[in-house]
């Protein structure tokens, strides 16, 4: 027997697909913006001072970090779409308790209930994703 009803699976599936589409749009827009905004233009034709160079490097690093987070989220959404028809979809992978449908709609890639997710984040710190 499946944890979620077909209607609930439909709502979560729609949320997964909508977030995936929005995320793909964000990734493509960021990629286009990065192509248009060459960080070297911050330095001007003759180069800039060391603070201009540091700013350009920092902006590039931030863009790369953001892309990394977005790609991780995209992977989680893809995984959620693949798991959607599994009988155990919507059950916490740590404790087996049902994850509320509202949580799955808001965070369709969720694999844990809130209690287990908080415990996981405390245990794994910055590597919780």
């Amino acid at each position: 027997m499946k944890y979620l009803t077909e209607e609930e699976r439909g709502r979560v599936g729609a949320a997964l697909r909508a977030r995936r589409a929005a995320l793909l749009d964000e990734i493509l827009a960021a990629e286009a913006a990065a192509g248009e905004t060459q960080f070297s233009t911050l330095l001007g034709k003759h180069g800039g001072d060391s603070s201009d160079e540091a700013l350009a490097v920092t902006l590039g690093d931030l863009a790369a970090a953001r892309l990394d987070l977005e790609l991780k989220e995209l992977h989680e959404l893809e995984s959620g779409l693949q798991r959607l028809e599994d009988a155990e979809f919507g059950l916490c992978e740590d404790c087996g308790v049902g994850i509320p449908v509202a949580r799955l709609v808001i965070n369709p890639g969720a694999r844990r209930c809130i209690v287990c997710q908080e415990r996981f984040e405390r245990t794994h710190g910055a590597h919780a994703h």
Side-chain angles (χ1 to χ4, degrees), residues 9 43 46 51-52 60 70 74 78 90 95 104 111 116:
R9 284 176 188 278
L43 302 176
H46 305 290
S51 64
D52 290 338
E70 289 172 338
L74 183 61
E78 294 288 344
C95 71
L104 291 170
R111 292 175 165 257
C116 289

Side-chain angles (χ1 to χ4, degrees), residues 1-2 52 66 105 112:
M1 183 169 143
K2 292 182 176 181
D52 290 338
R66 179 179 174 191
V105 170
R112 294 176 183 85

Side-chain angles (χ1 to χ4, degrees), residues 8-62:
E8 291 168 334
R9 284 176 188 278
R11 286 177 48 212
V12 173
L16 278 164
R17 287 184 288 280
R19 179 61 191 140
R20 180 182 177 273
L23 189 58
L24 285 172
D25 288 345
E26 290 173 24
I27 290 170
L28 292 174
E31 184 178 314
E36 293 171 8
T37 307
Q38 296 296 323
F39 297 113
S40 61
T41 60
L42 289 173
L43 302 176
K45 289 183 179 181
H46 305 290
D49 62 21
S50 61
S51 64
D52 290 338
E53 185 176 329
L55 176 61
V57 169
T58 300
L59 290 174
D61 289 347
L62 286 172

Side-chain angles (χ1 to χ4, degrees), residues 13 16-17 20 76-85:
L16 278 164
R17 287 184 288 280
R20 180 182 177 273
E76 290 173 8
L77 294 171
E78 294 288 344
S79 176
L81 282 168
Q82 290 176 354
R83 295 186 335 265
L84 188 59
E85 292 306 316

